Each structure stands twice: as C-alpha cells, then as structure tokens.
Amino acid sequence: MALPLVDEPVVRTPRRPGGPKPKGARDLSVTILTIAVAAILLMVIGFPLGGLLSTAFKPDGLAVLGRIFTDTVNHRVVGNTLVLGLVVGVVGTAVGFLFAFAQARLQFRGKRLLHLLAMIPIVAPPFAVATAVITLFGRNGAITTGIFGWQSNVYGLPGLTIVLSLSFFPVAYMNLRGMLESLDPSLDEAAAGLGATKLRAFFTVTIPMLVPGIAGSFLLLFVEAIADLANPLVIGGDYTVLASRAYLAVTGEYNTHAGAAYSLVLLLPALLVFLVQRYWVSRKSVVSITGKPTGTTEMIAAPSIRVPILTIVFALAALIATIYATVLLGGFVKVPGVNNEFTLDHYQFVLAGLGSKAMVDTTILALIAAPIAGLLGMLIAWLVVRKLKRGSALLDFVGMLGLAVPGTVLGIGYAISYNSPIEIFGFEIIPAIAGGSAVLSGAIAIVMVYIIRSLPSGQRAAVSALQQIHPAIEEASTSLGADSAVTFRKVTLPLIQSALLTGLTFAFARSMTTLSPIIFLTTPGIKIMTSQILAEVDSGRFGNAFAYCTVLIGIVLVVILLLNILIRKVVFRGRSHNR
C-alpha cells in the first residue's frame, strides 16, 4: 500500500556560537584573500585586456577595424581563421574519439603504449610537429621526396590541419575517454535486451550520451586552433590567419594599433565559443555516475568493428611515433633529411653553447610560475565553491580567461599595457615590466603570462574535487575554532592534493611550451626556449630546433616526475587524499 506523502515543517537548527559559518558569511581572512586574489587577476589578465581594448578603439585602431569589415584581403584572413578552426575542431575531435573508443571499448594489446603516444603532444612544444612534418613531407621531405620521389607541398591549410589536429587531439581524447569509461554498461545491456544490434545501440545510446563531450571537445579545439600562432608561422605558407596577421602588424609593421584591432577580432569568436562551451554544453551534461553498483563494460572483440578502427588508430599512432622519432633523431644529424651524418653539434649548442641560457631561463621562470599558478587555482576554486555567495561566478570566469583569451591577444595586451611605468597622481607604482626598458629584462611579465595561461587547468580540477567533498568536513574544523585560512591549509588542501598536483603538472608543462604570448615579451636579457626554437626554424637550422625540442621534453618529464614525488611523499606525507 502506498503511503501518503506528508509535508513536514522545515526545522532550522540555529547555529551554535563559534560553529561553522554559512557560505557568504563575513570572515576577515576570506575578505582579505578575496581582495588579494582579485588584485592578482586584475594585474595578470584584467589590465592587459583593458589596455588592448583601449588601444583598439583609438582612432588608428578604429580605422583598421573598419578595413577589416570592408577589405577583401581581411575578409580572406577572417575566413581562413574560421575555416581552420572548424576543420581542426572536426578532425581533432574525430581522432580523439577514435583513440578514446579504442582504449575504452576495444579489446587489444598495447593500450598503455597507445595512451603514452596520445599524451606526448601535451609535453611537446607547439611547433615540434610542424617542424618534423616539414622534414618528412615537405618539398624536400625525407619520405615524400627521399623515398617516393614525390614533389609535395605540405604548407597551407592541409599542413596546418594535420599539425594542429595531431597537436591538440589529446584534449578530446582525455575528455571522451573519461566519458566512455564512466558510462553505465547497463544501458547497452538494456538496448541489447530490446533487440538492438551493437551498431544500433552505439548510435542510439552511446553517441547521444557523448554529445556534450563531443561538442565541448570540438569547441575547445576550435579555440586552440584559431589562437595558435607558432604553427601558422612555421607551416602556414600563404594561408594567413588572424593570429599571424596580428603578429606581423606588431613585429613587422610596428603598428600596435593594428595589432590590437586584429587581436580584438580574434578575441571575439574565442570568447563566444568559450562561453558556449562553458554554459551551454555544461547544461547538456548527462549524469552517468550514480553511485549505484554497475556491471563491467564488455570489451568488443568482433573483427568487423575492431579491425577498421584499430587500423586507423594504429596508422595515426605510427604517424605520431614517426614524427616524434624525427624530433628525437633530428638533433643528432647535420641537416635532417638532407645530410644525415651523425653529429653532436646541435646538443652542444643547446646544452653548453648559446642555447644553454634559454634552457636555464625558461626552466627557472616556469618553476617560479607553476607553484603560484597551482596555489592560486586552488584558492580561487575554494572561494568559488565554498566561501563566496556573490561574485563567485565572476571570479570563476575571470580565472578561466587564460584559457579563453588567445595567446597572441594576451601577448599584445602585455606589450601595450606594461611597456611603460604605471603612475597614479604622478607617483610610479609599477615600473615597466615589458619591452626594452623592463625591469629584470621582462622576466616578471613572462612569469605573469605563464601564471594566467596555466591557471585554468588547476582551477577546474580543484573545483571538481571540492564539489565532491562534503562541506561538513571543513565545518568540523571551523567548529573546533580554526579560522578559514587554517582550515584551507590543514584540511582542504590535503583533500584536494590530486587537483593541486594536476594544476602544478599542467602549469609547468604549459609554461615550458607556451610561445604565442611570449614572443611579444622576450628581450635580449631573457631567452625563452620556445622563442629560440622558432628563431632556429626560421633560420633553417632544424637540427638545433630538434635538439631544443628534445631537451625541452626531457626537462618537462623530469620535473613532472619530481613534482609527483615532492607532493605525494614530502608535502602531504602521511595525509591521505583518499575520501
């Protein structure tokens, strides 16, 4: 017999004196922390964007903006940018999906190796793939010309599509793999019980559940593709996009107003896509983890499905392995693809010659920026999820702008805003930190760029981790008399140490491989590896570039390993993160 539902009066338990404070309640340490975080975000992202916008809307910038809407050449540049974003978004998402589906659903050997191959682009410099593709498949490519005798042209949209898709597909791969592994297998079993074939169940059950992940991956790849600067400079040829056009306006024409105007046009679609991904796609998310016991996903062993998918995946994996083997071996030959005589000159140049300064400078600046970005991401997430009632969405959005704002836009914004001292009422409060007269040769600006570019990964990981932790754990600490700062340091941070580690890892890797904003900020006093690699590629010294890339990848891998040991074995030793 069904029991009638009875509305019971809600009884509110009054808070005990000294007990936990509700979200939004006044807390001096939280107020101070919020002001400090807001001030840092204003410095690293708000002020540079404000400077760029004000420059773009000055008369000279408005004139360039007007020509963007009337000039057919500019129409082609805008069209090239959008086409490149769409093509790379589709191809990169498709590649990521195939890799994810093979890992999560197909039965075969070598999954760990395939996973490692898929993750290499994350720790590699952005144009390592482009340089290797030119060496292998360019006009005098080692494979096209050297083996088959073909005269090929890999420059332009086809080359950019290959390079950017192989560089950015790990984003889609990680996203979709996680979704596929978390899908409840009982859904497929129910479809099979109703008589559906595996193919029909795939298109009517699995794909609809993955739509938010597919759409989110496409949008992220779209933003990454239109924002990339290094690859269009290396392999773009005559295919000009907005990022390279803004770069040429600043560095070739010395016209910062034109650079700001082109950057503004580039910023609009990037921000629009970011907002769509953030608000629309997240609302379409499907809950697939219910906490209820589920069965085990049955791996597909049918040759009719495995063979075609694994053929494509292994072919792509072989291409990736060939490209990175070229990067590794290219540093040991005199002229890769032309004169393959063994030499150590390139590594001598990087490790003991002129290149050693770039290696040391880049590693030191990345090591300074990574802990700041990692800890700042944890603090923002803590304020957004736990402490702030009003303004939490705005703080979260501003913290994520480092992901939405293209690197070219950010770099030009820094070059405009911090090129001269900032004064208030005639008093200099901040000296010039970018340009030729910058203090510490521009190192401060580079660290600031590293922080804002790498902040979102740690922030997102911490937000997700905090949302899974019941607030009662922290409330117990405050009930015992600890203030918010002590609670965060001794209770919250150990609980989200995995998110902190993720933030530190991505922050260091991204700092070491960032180029687009840095190219506008380097000075003769500071050498950055990515900028040096681009200079070597421009000069045709591919051997030096490959040696740089290999050393950079080695440094990133070693530091990530040391970070794991430091965080897990030293910082949080004895304090388990298991919940």
Side-chain angles (χ1 to χ4, degrees):
M1 183 178 67
L3 296 176
L5 296 175
V6 179
D7 292 333
E8 297 181 355
V10 177
V11 179
R12 298 186 183 278
T13 304
R15 188 171 67 86
R16 289 180 288 101
K21 296 177 181 179
K23 182 179 180 181
R26 289 186 178 179
D27 186 325
L28 182 60
S29 60
V30 171
T31 303
I32 294 173
L33 187 62
T34 304
I35 293 172
V37 169
I40 293 172
L41 290 177
L42 179 65
M43 286 289 296
V44 296
I45 187 72
F47 191 66
L49 282 186
L52 183 134
L53 292 175
S54 67
T55 304
F57 285 110
K58 286 179 180 176
D60 290 343
L62 286 174
V64 176
L65 281 174
R67 288 198 294 274
I68 290 175
F69 290 101
T70 57
D71 187 9
T72 55
V73 175
N74 287 322
H75 290 171
R76 188 166 66 247
V77 172
V78 175
N80 287 347
T81 307
L82 296 177
V83 168
L84 179 65
L86 291 171
V87 173
V88 172
V90 171
V91 176
T93 303
V95 173
F97 175 80
L98 288 174
F99 272 70
F101 189 81
Q103 282 284 350
R105 293 298 175 90
L106 297 188
Q107 184 178 355
F108 68 97
R109 291 182 179 179
K111 287 190 175 184
R112 186 179 294 273
L113 179 61
L114 189 68
H115 175 71
L116 291 176
L117 281 173
M119 300 303 287
I120 286 179
I122 291 179
V123 298
F127 38 75
V129 177
T131 312
V133 165
I134 292 172
T135 303
L136 293 171
F137 306 109
R139 294 190 178 100
N140 294 307
I143 292 179
T144 49
T145 305
I147 297 178
F148 297 105
W150 297 339
Q151 290 296 320
S152 62
N153 181 12
V154 78
Y155 294 90
L157 182 61
L160 279 172
T161 302
I162 295 171
V163 168
L164 293 177
S165 299
L166 292 180
S167 298
F168 299 138
F169 87 90
V171 176
Y173 164 69
M174 289 189 294
N175 189 13
L176 295 171
R177 182 190 173 196
M179 293 190 73
L180 278 166
E181 289 178 341
S182 64
L183 286 181
D184 189 346
S186 64
L187 296 172
D188 289 333
E189 295 170 4
L194 293 172
T197 62
K198 286 190 178 298
L199 192 63
R200 183 176 174 81
F202 174 75
F203 283 107
T204 57
V205 177
T206 305
I207 289 293
M209 298 284 283
L210 295 177
V211 164
I214 293 173
S217 301
F218 168 79
L219 295 174
L220 283 174
L221 263 64
F222 178 89
V223 172
E224 293 281 1
I226 66 171
D228 187 70
L229 171 62
N231 289 299
L233 290 179
V234 173
I235 201 171
D238 295 332
Y239 195 85
T240 307
V241 293
L242 279 168
S244 55
R245 185 66 189 87
Y247 170 76
L248 292 175
V250 174
T251 61
E253 302 166 6
Y254 303 103
N255 188 344
T256 53
H257 294 89
Y262 285 116
S263 298
L264 178 61
V265 178
L266 177 62
L267 179 63
L268 293 177
L271 271 181
L272 179 63
V273 168
F274 174 74
L275 290 172
V276 170
Q277 192 274 336
R278 181 177 169 81
Y279 295 106
W280 181 78
V281 175
S282 61
R283 290 175 185 230
K284 298 292 181 184
S285 297
V286 179
V287 175
S288 55
I289 302 177
T290 61
K292 299 176 181 179
T294 60
T296 303
T297 302
E298 182 183 356
M299 291 293 162
I300 299 173
S304 59
I305 299 176
R306 287 174 65 241
V307 171
I309 293 178
L310 290 181
T311 300
I312 298 174
V313 168
F314 281 127
L316 290 170
L319 177 60
I320 294 170
T322 305
I323 286 172
Y324 285 100
T326 303
V327 173
L328 177 64
L329 298 175
F332 290 102
V333 296
K334 286 193 173 180
V335 182
V338 179
N339 181 357
N340 293 323
E341 187 179 341
F342 178 79
T343 181
L344 291 175
D345 290 348
H346 307 309
Y347 280 94
Q348 187 177 4
F349 172 82
V350 173
L351 297 175
L354 297 174
S356 59
K357 177 171 173 51
M359 187 178 68
V360 173
D361 287 353
T362 309
T363 307
I364 290 175
L365 296 183
L367 284 174
I368 294 172
I372 299 174
L375 192 58
L376 186 61
M378 302 302 107
L379 288 173
I380 293 175
W382 183 61
L383 291 171
V384 168
V385 177
R386 289 287 192 264
K387 294 298 175 183
L388 296 183
K389 187 175 182 180
R390 294 178 180 175
S392 60
L394 177 62
L395 184 64
D396 190 31
F397 174 75
V398 176
M400 294 297 294
L401 277 180
L403 184 68
V405 176
T408 309
V409 177
L410 195 62
I412 293 176
Y414 267 72
I416 291 172
S417 304
Y418 290 119
N419 197 35
S420 55
I422 298 173
E423 297 180 350
I424 296 181
F425 301 118
F427 293 98
E428 180 179 314
I429 57 171
I430 299 176
I433 59 175
S437 59
V439 294
L440 299 176
S441 302
I444 296 175
I446 293 172
V447 169
M448 289 167 67
V449 167
Y450 282 169
I451 291 171
I452 192 60
R453 292 287 286 170
S454 51
L455 173 64
S457 55
Q459 181 181 328
R460 243 10 315 131
V463 166
S464 301
L466 282 171
Q467 286 173 339
Q468 296 176 18
I469 300 173
H470 199 285
I473 298 174
E474 291 154 307
E475 290 171 0
S477 172
T478 55
S479 298
L480 293 172
D483 62 15
S484 295
V486 173
T487 300
F488 174 77
R489 184 165 52 87
K490 293 192 173 182
V491 177
T492 308
L493 208 51
L495 286 170
I496 59 172
Q497 61 175 278
S498 294
L500 176 62
L501 185 58
T502 300
L504 289 173
T505 301
F506 275 90
F508 183 78
R510 194 170 179 89
S511 298
M512 290 291 292
T513 57
T514 290
L515 172 69
S516 301
I518 300 303
I519 201 169
F520 298 97
L521 303 176
T522 51
T523 64
I526 288 288
K527 302 291 185 186
I528 299 299
M529 289 184 79
T530 49
S531 182
Q532 292 299 108
I533 297 172
L534 182 63
E536 296 297 322
V537 173
D538 275 346
S539 304
R541 295 189 288 267
F542 281 18
N544 286 348
F546 286 139
Y548 262 127
C549 292
T550 306
V551 171
L552 192 152
I553 293 172
I555 293 173
V556 172
L557 293 176
V558 169
V559 173
I560 287 175
L561 177 64
L562 293 177
L563 277 174
N564 273 273
I565 296 173
L566 181 68
I567 295 294
R568 295 190 187 279
K569 304 295 184 184
V570 179
V571 177
F572 295 112
R573 183 177 56 181
R575 284 180 281 178
S576 171
H577 65 284
N578 295 326
R579 300 183 290 276

